[in-house]
Amino acid sequence: MSDFWPFSGMRPGMARGVRVIASGWALGWLTAKAVFWTGLGPSWLFPIIGTIYFFIAFFNFTGQNWIFGEVPPHRQFGVLLVLIAGLTYVINSSEIRWIPAWWVPLVKLGLSTALFPYLTRGMK
């Protein structure tokens, strides 16, 4: 098991669930505060959150970290965090501003038909 906080020493059960939920809440709260502290305002929350969710779905759920499959899990987390944050910044700073919500049915279709694992991991 990795020594990367907050996942070091986690054991199954209620304590693990509480730690994961608390970590997620703290990260979400800090992210929302950062949006307001930078002066972007509430009109930027949906584009930022929608773009982050798109990249999480694209990199993690569709191909199980298909780009970084050979990297140890604790490094995958760091690399994906930087990659998703950077790509979100690039998209939100461009003329696109955000990735529309039509990607949700596309991801569901790709997962249910095994199209994404076929494309990303070479499954046949």
Side-chain angles (χ1 to χ4, degrees):
M1 184 177 296
S2 172
D3 290 332
F4 185 79
W5 184 89
F7 305 107
S8 61
M10 281 188 157
R11 295 198 172 108
M14 184 176 247
R16 180 179 181 182
V18 168
R19 286 175 70 182
V20 169
I21 289 171
S23 298
W25 184 88
L27 184 61
W29 184 80
L30 289 172
T31 303
K33 288 295 182 185
V35 168
F36 287 102
W37 288 335
T38 57
L40 295 175
S43 65
W44 281 90
L45 285 177
F46 186 75
I48 290 172
I49 292 169
T51 305
I52 288 172
Y53 279 151
F54 168 78
F55 286 126
I56 288 173
F58 181 74
F59 288 120
N60 296 24
F61 301 135
T62 59
Q64 298 177 352
N65 299 336
W66 56 279
I67 292 180
F68 308 107
E70 303 294 323
V71 179
H74 65 283
R75 291 190 189 251
Q76 280 183 9
F77 177 79
V79 170
L80 285 170
L81 184 67
V82 170
L83 182 67
I84 290 170
L87 288 173
T88 299
Y89 176 78
V90 168
I91 292 293
N92 286 286
S93 298
S94 70
E95 292 292 322
I96 299 170
R97 184 167 175 194
W98 67 290
I99 298 174
W102 54 259
W103 64 266
V104 174
L106 177 67
V107 169
K108 288 181 180 181
L109 178 70
L111 290 174
S112 65
T113 62
L115 176 65
F116 286 145
Y118 174 78
L119 294 174
T120 60
R121 292 184 278 161
M123 297 178 77
K124 298 186 185 224

